[in-house]
Amino acid sequence: MKLFIKDHLSIVILYGITFFGLFLLYDWLDGFAGGKKAYFIFLSCALLLLFLLYRYFTRWKLYKHLSSPPEKTEDMLIQNPHSALEEAFSRNMGSCLQLHQRELSRLKNRQQEYQTMLNQWVHQIKTPLSVIGMLTEMNEGNEDFAKVKASVNKINYDLTQILTYLRTEDFAADLKIEKTSLKEVITEVVNELKDFFIAKSVYPSISIDKDLSVYTDKKWLKIMMYQVINNAVKYSENNKKVKIEADSVQDSIVLHITNEGEGIEPSDLPRVFDLFFTGEHGRKFGESTGMGLYLVKKIADMLNHEYHLESAVNETTTFSVYFKS
């Protein structure tokens, strides 16, 4: 109704000016006699009211449609239009929706092609890296090959991050929530990162009851923990421990992963989960891609696990995950 009034306010004002102008002119010319003035006023107002009522009831769907934002694309169309204007509006919006759908389909196809190409490229790169990795294992005592192995592990980690990012786009299709042993997941991740622990002279300390289980997707939780523990090792001081503990708090099971090192600057802490944000660590060491914690956040959100990160500069950094019992 507000939109209708705004749309017709100029017509009402013009009609009022014209009405009073003609009324005064006709009265000045002695055109009214007896009760004709009241009749003239009544007839003019009645004609204006009928005109406005006609306009409103023939276009009320259009005004109602424009007064509230659509919740879905189908709401942009007017069903069973009453007037030519409503019909033209609905037809025009239908054409716009078709253009939008075609453009959306084109962009989706392009994105799918991009993901497929990138996926294939990553797998093609991993094949020669596996060969190089085997060569480094065959020459394990050679210091030069040890450096090559460290670089290969770094490249493999970065490639795995890319694959994980691509797979999160179809996360729902690959989700399986089941009862999972928390210690088993953590132990598998620590074993996979064994070489990294040794290279950084950092030691894992696992304090999790073997009977402690949580409801989650084991594969995605493992990917998430790999990112967190890898970061904990990367930013730990030499000869320190990465402590991994779990306990029950009220109706939740809480997993804490703590490392000792430089910590995170307070100014960086609110942004560490943003994609490609590297902060002070990235500027100092140049090793951070800014993808690890972003993937952690994305996976935790999709698994509906709450998480919390706290850090003190040059002291400890603790990442906590909360699992509902």
Side-chain angles (χ1 to χ4, degrees):
M1 178 62 77
K2 289 182 179 179
L3 185 60
F4 174 79
I5 294 172
K6 289 180 180 179
D7 187 37
H8 289 81
L9 185 59
S10 59
I11 295 177
V12 173
I13 293 173
L14 178 62
Y15 186 88
I17 293 172
T18 305
F19 167 73
F20 284 110
L22 291 175
F23 179 83
L24 293 174
L25 177 63
Y26 198 62
D27 187 45
W28 181 67
L29 295 173
D30 277 337
F32 293 108
K36 290 183 179 180
K37 284 186 180 181
Y39 179 74
F40 177 79
I41 294 172
F42 169 78
L43 184 60
S44 299
C45 292
L47 288 174
L48 176 61
L49 181 62
L50 289 173
F51 169 76
L52 293 177
L53 287 173
Y54 170 77
R55 296 271 291 194
Y56 177 75
F57 284 109
T58 55
R59 301 180 183 182
W60 71 271
K61 284 190 175 182
L62 178 61
Y63 290 113
K64 182 180 178 181
H65 188 80
L66 295 174
S67 298
S68 57
E71 295 181 0
K72 51 184 183 293
T73 53
E74 292 79 5
D75 293 341
M76 298 176 69
L77 301 176
I78 297 177
Q79 304 297 329
N80 302 318
H82 287 168
S83 66
L85 184 62
E86 289 181 353
E87 187 176 347
F89 176 85
S90 185
R91 186 168 55 250
N92 194 15
M93 292 306 300
S95 299
C96 290
L97 285 177
Q98 289 178 359
L99 290 173
H100 172 74
Q101 291 295 336
R102 283 198 292 267
E103 182 66 15
L104 189 62
S105 179
R106 186 185 68 82
L107 292 174
K108 283 183 177 179
N109 291 335
R110 186 176 178 181
Q111 184 182 25
Q112 187 63 44
E113 289 176 1
Y114 166 77
Q115 290 181 347
T116 302
M117 180 195 68
L118 190 57
N119 205 342
Q120 291 178 348
W121 177 81
V122 170
H123 283 99
Q124 287 174 356
I125 294 296
K126 275 182 167 286
T127 301
L129 279 177
S130 299
V131 176
I132 297 172
M134 291 174 62
L135 290 173
T136 59
E137 290 177 2
M138 292 170 61
N139 297 270
E140 195 167 349
N142 191 306
E143 290 185 5
D144 292 331
F145 274 97
K147 294 178 181 178
V148 173
K149 184 177 182 180
S151 296
V152 168
N153 289 339
K154 175 65 170 60
I155 295 172
N156 266 318
Y157 174 72
D158 291 341
L159 291 175
T160 300
Q161 280 190 322
I162 295 174
L163 282 176
T164 302
Y165 175 77
L166 293 174
R167 288 169 182 165
T168 54
E169 298 300 314
D170 298 319
F171 183 86
D174 193 30
L175 187 64
K176 184 180 180 182
I177 302 296
E178 57 187 351
K179 195 173 184 180
T180 304
S181 170
L182 198 54
K183 186 170 185 177
E184 181 181 330
V185 172
I186 296 300
T187 303
E188 288 179 7
V189 171
V190 169
N191 287 336
E192 289 181 12
L193 288 168
K194 179 177 63 176
D195 291 339
F196 195 34
F197 273 100
I198 295 172
K200 297 284 289 185
S201 299
V202 178
Y203 309 98
S205 173
I206 303 175
S207 179
I208 302 175
D209 193 316
K210 65 179 182 179
D211 296 325
L212 200 59
S213 297
V214 295
Y215 284 94
T216 187
D217 185 291
K218 181 179 179 180
K219 185 184 79 172
W220 286 104
L221 178 64
K222 185 177 175 181
I223 292 172
M224 185 172 74
M225 290 298 100
Y226 189 97
Q227 300 290 335
V228 175
I229 297 174
N230 181 84
N231 271 12
V233 176
K234 183 190 298 184
Y235 298 115
S236 288
E237 293 181 1
N238 291 344
N239 301 314
K240 295 292 185 178
K241 291 183 179 180
V242 172
K243 297 179 182 179
I244 307 171
E245 305 168 313
D247 49 38
S248 298
V249 178
Q250 294 180 352
D251 59 344
S252 299
I253 295 173
V254 187
L255 175 67
H256 303 287
I257 301 170
T258 305
N259 73 294
E260 297 180 55
E262 289 196 5
I264 303 172
E265 294 290 336
S267 58
D268 289 344
L269 202 56
R271 301 178 59 195
V272 292
F273 293 102
D274 294 348
L275 182 60
F276 302 134
F277 179 77
T278 57
E280 288 296 324
H281 289 311
R283 285 185 282 273
K284 286 182 181 179
F285 305 107
E287 295 180 356
S288 178
T289 61
M291 288 187 65
L293 288 180
Y294 170 78
L295 292 173
V296 169
K297 175 184 182 300
K298 193 169 185 179
I299 294 170
D301 288 342
M302 290 187 290
L303 289 174
N304 199 26
H305 297 328
E306 293 183 14
Y307 54 90
H308 178 69
L309 180 66
E310 58 183 13
S311 181
V313 178
N314 296 322
E315 294 184 21
T316 61
T317 299
T318 301
F319 180 86
S320 304
V321 188
Y322 299 84
F323 303 91
K324 295 178 181 178
S325 300

